[in-house]
Amino acid sequence: MKISARNQLAGTVSAVKEGAVNGVVTIKVGDETIKSDITMEAIKDLGLAEGKEAIAIIKASNVLVAAGSERIGSISARNQFPGTIVKVAKGAVNGHVSIEITDGAKITASITNEAIDDLGLAEGAAAVAIVKATDVLVAVN
């Protein structure tokens, strides 16, 4: 599978919570879990069930970044991944910040250069990648 989304995290489905229209799929990637809120139709079409291998896909533009190593307690986003910044690449207006979160897995965010500067984001610094469950796509091979 080739797609333009930078973040493709392979793991194993650890839970599926079914709802009337949507469900929440939890994928274990290393020591972290990623939650995806997708339709029940997609869950059934993909055959998602506990133990199935799956890939969480997240566009870099859907990743928020917080400086520091602490998860934010009062926020609606279900996915928060503390880690270490391994790369900062600035462009003319926006830049990419890559955060290593677990077992070598990385999440890249596309954010403004102004945000990179204001948050003091630099290689080696602690940061938290934040992603809403509705921004996580799920793929299977």
Side-chain angles (χ1 to χ4, degrees), residues 32-70:
E32 294 288 345
T33 57
I34 300 174
K35 293 186 182 287
S36 175
D37 183 338
I38 60 176
T39 66
M40 287 305 302
E41 182 179 4
I43 289 171
K44 293 193 185 322
D45 287 349
L46 295 171
L48 296 174
E50 192 172 330
K52 184 165 182 94
E53 291 183 10
I55 302 165
I57 300 169
I58 308 162
K59 288 182 60 169
S61 57
N62 291 343
V63 179
L64 304 176
V65 178
S69 60
E70 298 297 318

Side-chain angles (χ1 to χ4, degrees), residues 53-136:
E53 291 183 10
I55 302 165
I57 300 169
I58 308 162
K59 288 182 60 169
S61 57
N62 291 343
V63 179
L64 304 176
V65 178
S69 60
E70 298 297 318
R71 296 175 196 259
I72 300 169
S74 54
I75 190 171
S76 64
R78 298 295 85 203
N79 299 302
Q80 298 187 43
F81 309 105
T84 302
I85 297 172
V86 294
K87 184 177 180 184
V88 176
K90 287 185 176 181
V93 176
N94 292 329
H96 289 150
V97 177
S98 294
I99 302 168
E100 186 170 316
I101 61 165
T102 182
D103 298 334
K106 295 178 188 72
I107 294 182
T108 298
S110 178
I111 61 176
T112 65
N113 291 338
E114 183 179 6
I116 291 170
D117 294 339
D118 288 351
L119 293 171
L121 302 177
E123 289 181 20
V128 180
I130 302 166
V131 182
K132 291 181 62 166
T134 52
D135 289 333
V136 179

